[in-house]
Amino acid sequence: HTINELLIAPGILVVIVGFATQDSVGNIISGLTLQMGKPYKYGDWLQVDNKEYAEVIEINWRATRLRTLDDILIEIPHRQMAAQNIINLNRPLRKHAMHISVGIEYSAPPTRVKDVLRHATANAKGISPEPKPQVHLKNFGDFAIEYEIKYWIDDHSKYYEISDSVRTN
């Protein structure tokens, strides 16, 4: 009876330690995988799981630390990062496209609206001159025609100021 207890106790201890360290080991392995694949680096702007835009400010052995446009710090364990969809806005180039939807009343001719929106966007502060902004008729709403403006920016940290400039123009 005592021999069985002596043999079972270490086995139970191994199972307990295994469960206790499962997340840490998973984060370390996922971290090594992320380090080898290098999907992002310090300073890159990411969109994580089609939600928040955030800048990579630290990558350590356990997690990636991000800073949002609102200066909120988010720490995501590597195991969770590896399981999420990540869009790196800095790769392959730092310049990337953004979109804004605008509703315009039905009485305005679409060709004229597109010209005005393209001109207003091209003259907004922070917009990359190339490629040129694009405007597409997106949808017919109940009270307005919805247009989508596509423009390119080089510095995502200025996204709020740039989108404000586009909307103001």
Side-chain angles (χ1 to χ4, degrees):
H1 195 70
T2 309
I3 293 175
N4 284 341
E5 290 174 0
L6 290 174
L7 293 175
I8 292 173
I12 292 173
L13 183 61
V14 167
V15 170
I16 291 170
V17 170
F19 278 123
T21 61
Q22 182 178 4
D23 281 343
S24 294
V25 172
N27 285 330
I28 291 169
I29 291 170
S30 295
L32 291 171
T33 303
L34 287 171
Q35 290 289 339
M36 289 171 33
K38 297 190 188 286
Y40 53 84
K41 63 181 178 15
Y42 175 82
D44 283 354
W45 278 89
L46 309 178
Q47 183 181 20
V48 180
D49 243 5
N50 295 323
K51 296 176 191 161
E52 192 82 50
Y53 293 106
E55 180 183 22
V56 177
I57 60 168
E58 181 184 348
I59 304 169
N60 60 40
W61 65 273
R62 192 189 72 73
T64 298
R65 186 170 290 157
L66 307 170
R67 180 179 45 232
T68 69
L69 287 165
D70 294 325
D71 285 332
I72 296 170
L73 293 180
I74 301 171
E75 187 167 299
I76 303 175
H78 291 308
R79 192 171 181 178
Q80 289 178 12
M81 280 296 276
Q84 296 186 43
N85 292 324
I86 299 171
I87 297 172
N88 189 332
L89 300 173
N90 292 80
R91 293 188 187 183
L93 302 171
R94 193 164 178 81
K95 185 184 302 185
H96 58 279
M98 297 303 296
H99 303 261
I100 292 178
S101 291
V102 178
I104 305 290
E105 63 185 42
Y106 272 93
S107 64
T111 53
R112 175 76 177 128
V113 169
K114 287 180 172 186
D115 287 343
V116 168
L117 291 176
R118 257 192 304 272
H119 179 74
T121 303
N123 290 311
K125 184 179 177 188
I127 298 293
S128 294
E130 290 295 327
K132 296 196 180 309
Q134 300 173 2
V135 178
H136 302 281
L137 195 150
K138 184 177 177 182
N139 196 11
F140 294 99
D142 291 337
F143 303 101
I145 297 175
E146 186 179 2
Y147 295 87
E148 184 171 79
I149 303 168
K150 181 178 181 180
Y151 58 93
W152 283 260
I153 62 176
D154 290 323
D155 185 356
H156 200 83
S157 68
K158 295 187 174 24
Y159 170 71
Y160 284 144
E161 293 87 357
I162 294 169
S163 62
D164 174 69
S165 183
V166 170
R167 287 182 175 102
T168 299
N169 284 358

